[in-house]
Amino acid sequence: MDTITNLVDGKPVGALSGATYDVIAPATGEAYARAPLSGREDVDQAMNAAARAFESWRDTTPAERQLALLRIADAMERRADEFVAVESRNTGKPLAITVTDEVPPCVDQLRFFAGAARMLEGRSAGEYLAGHTSWIRREPIGVVGQVTPWNYPLMMAVWKIAPALAAGNTVVLKPSDTTPMSTVLLAEVCNEFLPPGVLNVVCGDRDTGRAIVDHDVPQLVAITGSVRAGMEVASTAARRLKRTHLELGGKAPVVVFDDADLEKAAQAIADAGYFNAGQDCTAATRVLAGPQIHDDFVDALTDRANHTHTGQPDDPGATYGALNNEAQLRRVSGFIRDLPDHANVRTGGAVVGERGYFYAPTVVSGLRQNDAAIQQEIFGPVITVQRFTDEAEALRWANGVEYGLASSVFTRDHARAMRMSRRLDFGCVWINTHIPIVAEMPHGGFKHSGYGKDLSLYGLEDYTRIKHVMSNIEY
């Protein structure tokens, strides 16, 4: 059994109470590590360390913060094999995919925010009142409390800490209780190049996260998680007038018009729907297909699913790995078990193997707009397909959910693509593709998918506050 520790004020420490919990490997269903079950006293210790560190970190220059982030990125790149092994064990993801699709983007995102630290801009100074000059300062907020999810534990930690540190804030972060190991490793690397207390990690359960949100010290709380968690965070933060940054769930529509290239669309959607076992808020799991292409598309997608393979991390043929935990496996299985009679499971719909939390790639057709599998986030390798009659109905159904994170349109008609991109009520619209994300562009949603942006300069701005300074130049 490995031992995972908190990292507070630059030092590895256990929970003050001595409490621990077992961390389960998704690929085997067996415990492989023990992590601290941190309480309010541990959070208080971390917050105090972050508050002390902020007094000096906020005065560092953008160039100094850039250099620290670049050094962290370089160290992560040098230790890529270690990060791949830990993240794969953490999540059950295939090693081969973690090598290409997890660690390199994390390194790139760190380097992006290292550069972004030196690119904050504001309005030009000017005399907007006679005899007075005004200008704008963008300042760090202070201590930031952060909570990350289990679907991309390493990458989401990078998305959270990189802009916060680049802007001059200090951080107390809690990783998901099921996937703490890669976040602690990242913090250990970061602390080689950061002053003590600038980045603190406390492991624990939901109560640990609540202690972070409810603590007096942080002026901003940022989470990636479920809608339920986001609502709870927003409610708690509102009582203390704290700022919140919420990246929550999704139910991405993928609108495939009759003129789309059927084979290319089916392949792209299978890739983006089954990636990471569908455990992605932007996953391409809710397809709306045109009336003429629908049947052929369902056949093509079913064929792609039948050629998609889930397996152990060291399986070179595995497209995706295990679901994260036993509760998630029950949730996905429950959605399929409770499908209405008019639904048709074309393939999949079953647990795979007797060890770990694996679920077969699944295609479901015949669902109606109000069915639970259309309205609620399944967060598993299940792609649904609905038949729409015209563009207006496709748009109405696409927007007819509580979520607003991501969407896509497949069509050869440029004007139609432009119309749809304007009217789709989602924070991201892809055209003839689905799921690519780059550090330079913002990621964040509308409606129940939350608010605030990750990545890009917009994400950096979210971790700053704006101050107006006016000087009487005739004094």
Side-chain angles (χ1 to χ4, degrees), residues 172-433:
V172 176
L173 183 146
K174 188 198 86 70
S176 168
D177 58 334
T178 63
T179 55
M181 184 170 273
S182 59
T183 303
V184 172
L185 175 60
L186 175 63
E188 290 172 357
V189 170
C190 289
N191 273 272
E192 295 177 24
F193 309 102
L194 298 172
V198 170
L199 173 61
N200 308 272
V201 172
V202 289
C203 302
D205 57 11
R206 288 181 179 177
D207 288 338
T208 314
R210 291 185 180 105
I212 288 175
V213 175
D214 194 45
H215 200 277
D216 290 335
V217 167
Q219 297 301 300
L220 169 68
V221 177
I223 77 158
T224 298
S226 68
V227 174
R228 175 205 55 76
M231 289 180 172
E232 183 177 334
V233 167
S235 176
T236 301
R239 292 197 295 270
R240 296 181 178 271
L241 294 179
K242 291 180 184 178
R243 291 169 59 176
T244 53
H245 183 287
L246 308 175
E247 200 277 275
L248 310 178
K251 192 68 177 173
V254 184
V255 184
V256 184
F257 285 97
D258 287 331
D259 66 339
D261 185 311
L262 184 148
E263 295 300 323
K264 287 183 179 178
Q267 186 63 60
I269 292 164
D271 290 344
Y274 296 129
F275 186 79
N276 198 27
Q279 298 172 124
D280 190 313
C281 298
T282 64
T285 55
R286 181 168 66 101
V287 179
L288 307 173
Q292 297 176 30
I293 203 175
H294 174 274
D295 292 347
D296 289 339
F297 178 82
V298 171
D299 289 341
L301 185 61
T302 300
D303 180 68
R304 299 299 186 281
N306 289 334
H307 287 86
T308 298
H309 173 59
T310 182
Q312 291 288 333
D314 59 355
D315 182 346
T319 304
Y320 65 87
L323 295 176
N324 180 259
N325 54 74
E326 186 177 5
Q328 189 60 24
L329 182 62
R330 288 198 303 269
R331 176 180 172 83
V332 174
S333 300
F335 268 101
I336 301 303
R337 181 193 64 236
D338 297 337
L339 287 171
D341 292 340
H342 53 262
N344 181 13
V345 179
R346 295 293 301 266
T347 190
V351 173
V352 176
E354 298 179 356
R355 185 169 180 254
Y357 310 126
F358 296 90
Y359 201 82
T362 302
V363 176
V364 181
S365 64
L367 287 167
R368 298 168 186 167
Q369 183 64 14
N370 291 328
D371 289 336
I374 297 298
Q375 292 294 319
Q376 299 175 29
E377 188 173 30
I378 299 174
F379 224 56
V382 179
I383 300 178
T384 65
V385 186
Q386 297 169 264
R387 184 199 302 266
F388 66 83
T389 57
D390 56 25
E391 184 177 321
E393 185 172 68
L395 184 66
R396 187 169 65 253
W397 285 0
N399 288 337
V401 295
E402 293 183 331
Y403 301 95
L405 183 56
S407 59
S408 62
V409 179
F410 286 78
T411 180
R412 290 185 173 95
D413 186 329
H414 177 74
R416 173 187 285 151
M418 293 299 98
R419 288 194 302 271
M420 292 293 291
S421 68
R422 181 171 64 90
R423 297 189 63 193
L424 282 166
D425 195 15
F426 297 84
C428 175
V429 181
W430 288 290
I431 298 173
N432 292 327
T433 188

Side-chain angles (χ1 to χ4, degrees), residues 52-89:
R52 289 192 300 270
F54 179 66
E55 293 303 313
S56 55
W57 182 250
R58 67 180 176 186
D59 293 331
T60 56
T61 65
E64 290 172 307
R65 299 195 293 271
Q66 179 191 45
L67 183 59
L69 287 171
L70 288 175
R71 286 172 171 168
I72 292 167
D74 290 347
M76 189 175 186
E77 192 169 54
R78 287 193 302 270
R79 298 173 64 174
D81 290 347
E82 184 179 357
F83 275 99
V84 167
V86 167
E87 187 71 338
S88 180
R89 193 178 188 190

Side-chain angles (χ1 to χ4, degrees), residues 30 47 49 62 85 107 120 129 137 160-161 167 178 185 195 202 208 233 259 296 313 322 357 371 434 448:
E30 299 170 354
M47 289 293 178
V107 172
L120 275 174
L129 178 66
R137 291 179 54 87
K160 287 287 182 284
I161 69 173
T178 63
L185 175 60
V202 289
T208 314
V233 167
D259 66 339
D296 289 339
Y357 310 126
D371 289 336
H434 192 107
H448 279 198

Side-chain angles (χ1 to χ4, degrees), residues 426-467:
F426 297 84
C428 175
V429 181
W430 288 290
I431 298 173
N432 292 327
T433 188
H434 192 107
I435 225 169
I437 290 175
V438 293
E440 293 84 354
M441 290 291 110
H443 178 83
F446 310 142
K447 301 190 292 187
H448 279 198
S449 291
Y451 44 80
K453 299 297 181 184
D454 289 314
L455 302 177
S456 78
L457 283 173
Y458 297 102
L460 181 61
E461 289 174 359
D462 278 358
Y463 286 94
T464 67
R465 64 183 188 181
I466 298 172
K467 178 185 288 182

